[in-house]
Amino acid sequence: MKKVLLVAGHTYPELSVANKEIVKELTAAIPGLVVDDLEKLYPDFKINVKAEQQKLLDADVIIIQSPLFWYSASSLVMRWWEETMAHGWAYGSTGTALKGKKIVFGITAGAPTDVYTSGAYGITEQDILNRFKISAGFCNMEYLGGRLTGGLLNAGTGVLSDDAKKAVKEHVDWIIKTIG
């Protein structure tokens, strides 16, 4: 049985509805899933690099789940990546710790998915996901894919609409299918 690590972090956890639901559903669906809840562990953004690196070493498959902020992952997820994926450990001539580890990225957005599919904002879904693919490759990881699911803006109700629930389910199902 493969060991799966889910790294999730929303810069504004009090506003997170869809991402919390995704984490909840993945936890229920994947036996033994280790959830690395960055917003609970590091609300001060002070990452315990050694502990995070050990979690990555222990995993066979890594899922990164983040909302989209400024066409990238949340600042908390990016801070985690910047510090944890250290030169000489994750990349560089001696950085082979993650070689062959499988990784998948789940990204949620408030704007509808078709805005990113069409490139209406001047950037496409593929442009956004390629950043993660390239970063994973730089760390010698096997990129399994990425999914950007839009239409998940929380307008302050704290409750997912029926359409958003459907989108979350499709997002979760895609991740589960992708990691096998």
Side-chain angles (χ1 to χ4, degrees), residues 58-87:
D58 292 343
D60 300 312
V61 179
I62 297 107
I63 302 165
I64 306 291
Q65 178 60 48
S66 175
L68 183 70
F69 284 115
W70 292 105
Y71 310 105
S72 190
S74 71
S75 58
L76 184 53
V77 170
M78 290 307 298
R79 176 70 173 253
W80 175 88
W81 188 278
E82 290 167 5
E83 292 192 14
T84 303
M85 306 301 186
H87 181 267

Side-chain angles (χ1 to χ4, degrees), residues 15-117:
L15 300 177
S16 175
V17 179
N19 280 279
K20 281 181 185 172
E21 186 63 23
I22 289 167
V23 170
K24 180 178 151 190
E25 289 190 25
L26 287 170
T27 301
I30 302 171
L33 178 71
V34 174
V35 178
D36 201 10
D37 188 342
L38 300 179
E39 60 205 40
K40 287 184 183 165
L41 291 170
Y42 308 113
D44 58 1
F45 281 59
K46 293 180 181 172
I47 309 297
N48 181 336
V49 173
K50 292 293 182 201
E52 294 304 314
Q53 289 175 340
Q54 188 60 54
K55 291 174 196 175
L56 289 166
L57 290 173
D58 292 343
D60 300 312
V61 179
I62 297 107
I63 302 165
I64 306 291
Q65 178 60 48
S66 175
L68 183 70
F69 284 115
W70 292 105
Y71 310 105
S72 190
S74 71
S75 58
L76 184 53
V77 170
M78 290 307 298
R79 176 70 173 253
W80 175 88
W81 188 278
E82 290 167 5
E83 292 192 14
T84 303
M85 306 301 186
H87 181 267
W89 186 80
Y91 72 97
S93 61
T94 60
T96 59
L98 302 175
K99 186 173 183 155
K101 298 275 184 182
K102 295 174 178 14
I103 189 164
V104 64
F105 291 84
I107 306 296
T108 58
T113 304
D114 63 355
V115 168
Y116 300 103
T117 305

